[in-house]
């Protein structure tokens, strides 16, 4: 038998622009086929060829991007969803949720809110879009969801549902505190979608994904920072400290 040895081969993409506010990447990239998409701390969104790192397009995202990029593949089209923070534009600025044509980077629509940073000790925590957007499926396959954080002096968040084709807002749900944990979707046997999400002050929320109607909420004594996961009718989420919580949806 022959023994095959894999050779390590590294290909790097190094780039620069006239204005680089902050170096680094914090948002998870997205990829499909031969193309990869990533966003950086200086407000850039890139598309590149994964094999040789050739740049395809670059789009200005106006501020730091920490929320992971989300791709939507249809029969003939490819779209990218992204949102920015209010970070180096602090203390208050517009946070934008955008749908881009993933093949050329052109903007299709945008939804925005005024958000702000919060002073904590000797630093400012960012506002805006901190959690990964969510694309609905089944009876909510026409909707995209995003959470805008730190919208007012109470540091509340607003979850907004947007029609994926038109960019029109369908409903919004005001949370009691800000959140950087991503929302998740669950479905019953009839294909009805439900959403579960949390905030940093210990609130959990379960809403109807189609209407935004609140089904259940509870104030816990925990601090939610990590995103939950779901399988069947069970939700598992880690909290700050040394505990992992599990919820059953009945």
């Amino acid at each position: 038998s022959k023994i095959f040895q894999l050779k390590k081969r590294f290909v790097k993409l190094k780039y620069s622009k006239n204005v680089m506010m902050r170096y680094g990447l914090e948002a998870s990239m997205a990829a499909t086929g031969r193309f990869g998409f990533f966003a950086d701390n200086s407000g850039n969104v890139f598309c590149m060829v994964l094999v040789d790192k050739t740049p395809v397009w670059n789009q200005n995202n106006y501020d730091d991007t920490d929320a992971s990029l989300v791709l939507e593949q249809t029969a003939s089209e490819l779209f990218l969803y992204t949102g920015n923070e209010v970070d180096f534009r602090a203390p208050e600025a517009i946070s934008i949720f955008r749908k881009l044509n993933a093949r050329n980077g052109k903007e299709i629509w945008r939804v925005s809110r005024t958000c702000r940073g919060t002073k904590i000790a000797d630093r400012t925590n960012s506002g805006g879009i901190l959690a990964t957007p969510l694309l609905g499926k089944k009876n909510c396959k026409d909707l995209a969801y995003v959470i805008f954080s730190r919208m007012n002096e109470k540091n509340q968040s607003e979850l907004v549902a947007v029609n994926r084709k038109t960019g029109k807002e369908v409903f919004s749900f005001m949370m009691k505190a800000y959140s950087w944990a991503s929302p998740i979707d669950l479905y019953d046997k009839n294909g009805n979608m439900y959403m579960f999400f949390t905030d940093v002050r210990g609130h959990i929320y379960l809403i109807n994904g189609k209407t935004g109607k609140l089904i259940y909420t509870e104030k816990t004594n925990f601090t939610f920072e990590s995103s939950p996961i779901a399988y069947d009718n069970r939700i598992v989420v880690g909290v700050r400290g040394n505990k992992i919580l599990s919820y059953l949806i009945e």
Side-chain angles (χ1 to χ4, degrees):
S1 61
K2 294 183 179 181
I3 299 176
F4 295 92
Q5 184 176 2
L6 296 177
K7 294 183 178 180
K8 294 182 179 180
R9 180 173 179 264
F10 298 96
V11 180
K12 297 181 180 180
L13 169 67
K14 291 185 178 181
Y15 65 92
S16 63
K17 298 192 68 176
N18 292 336
V19 179
M20 292 291 287
M21 299 294 297
R22 294 178 181 175
Y23 291 92
L25 310 174
E26 294 178 84
S28 298
M29 68 180 296
T32 181
R34 55 196 291 264
F35 299 105
F37 306 86
F38 68 94
D40 66 20
N41 293 341
S42 286
N44 300 296
V45 180
F46 288 93
C47 173
M48 67 179 179
V49 179
L50 290 170
V51 176
D52 59 9
K53 306 301 183 292
T54 303
V56 179
W57 56 257
N58 166 226
Q59 174 69 268
N60 186 2
N61 214 29
Y62 309 110
D63 206 325
D64 185 6
T65 304
D66 280 7
S68 299
L69 304 179
V70 178
L71 282 172
E72 176 190 8
Q73 178 91 57
T74 69
S76 58
E77 297 177 296
L78 184 65
F79 302 108
L80 184 72
Y81 295 83
T82 183
N84 63 8
E85 299 179 18
V86 175
D87 190 344
F88 53 73
R89 296 174 300 145
E92 183 177 282
I94 298 296
S95 177
I96 306 171
F97 179 47
R98 311 164 73 198
K99 180 179 181 178
L100 307 179
N101 184 321
R103 303 194 186 282
N104 55 33
K106 292 183 178 179
E107 182 177 298
I108 297 172
W109 53 250
R110 64 170 58 187
V111 171
S112 63
R113 293 289 190 275
T114 299
C115 299
R116 65 199 70 199
T118 302
K119 197 76 174 179
I120 299 178
D122 61 343
R123 59 169 295 174
T124 299
N125 278 5
S126 301
I129 298 172
L130 308 172
T132 303
L134 173 67
L135 300 185
K137 296 179 280 293
K138 299 188 178 182
N139 79 320
C140 292
K141 63 183 179 181
D142 58 334
L143 298 179
Y145 306 85
V146 67
I147 294 176
F148 292 95
S149 287
R150 293 188 172 99
M151 296 186 55
N152 51 37
E153 62 280 355
K154 295 181 180 179
N155 282 333
Q156 290 178 275
S157 288
E158 183 180 7
L159 182 144
V160 182
V162 185
N163 183 288
R164 277 150 70 166
K165 184 175 182 180
T166 66
K168 181 179 179 180
E169 296 183 27
V170 178
F171 70 80
S172 68
F173 180 90
M174 189 64 70
M175 301 161 61
K176 295 183 181 297
Y178 68 90
S179 176
W180 46 52
S182 304
I184 57 172
D185 48 341
L186 306 99
Y187 301 86
D188 62 23
K189 294 180 180 179
N190 296 320
N192 298 306
M193 176 181 156
Y194 307 92
M195 294 184 65
F196 177 89
F197 46 97
T198 62
D199 67 38
V200 296
R201 292 182 186 164
H203 298 93
I204 63 173
Y205 307 89
L206 181 68
I207 69 170
N208 184 301
K210 192 73 172 179
T211 65
K213 181 180 179 181
L214 179 64
I215 298 172
Y216 181 79
T217 187
E218 178 185 340
K219 172 68 169 71
T220 73
N221 294 321
F222 303 105
T223 299
F224 293 99
E225 293 183 339
S226 61
S227 300
I229 61 170
Y231 61 95
D232 295 330
N233 65 329
R234 183 179 296 276
I235 295 170
V236 178
V237 57
V239 296
R240 189 158 189 163
N242 58 355
K243 291 182 172 60
I244 298 175
L245 309 181
S246 178
Y247 294 94
L248 283 176
I249 305 297
E250 297 179 347

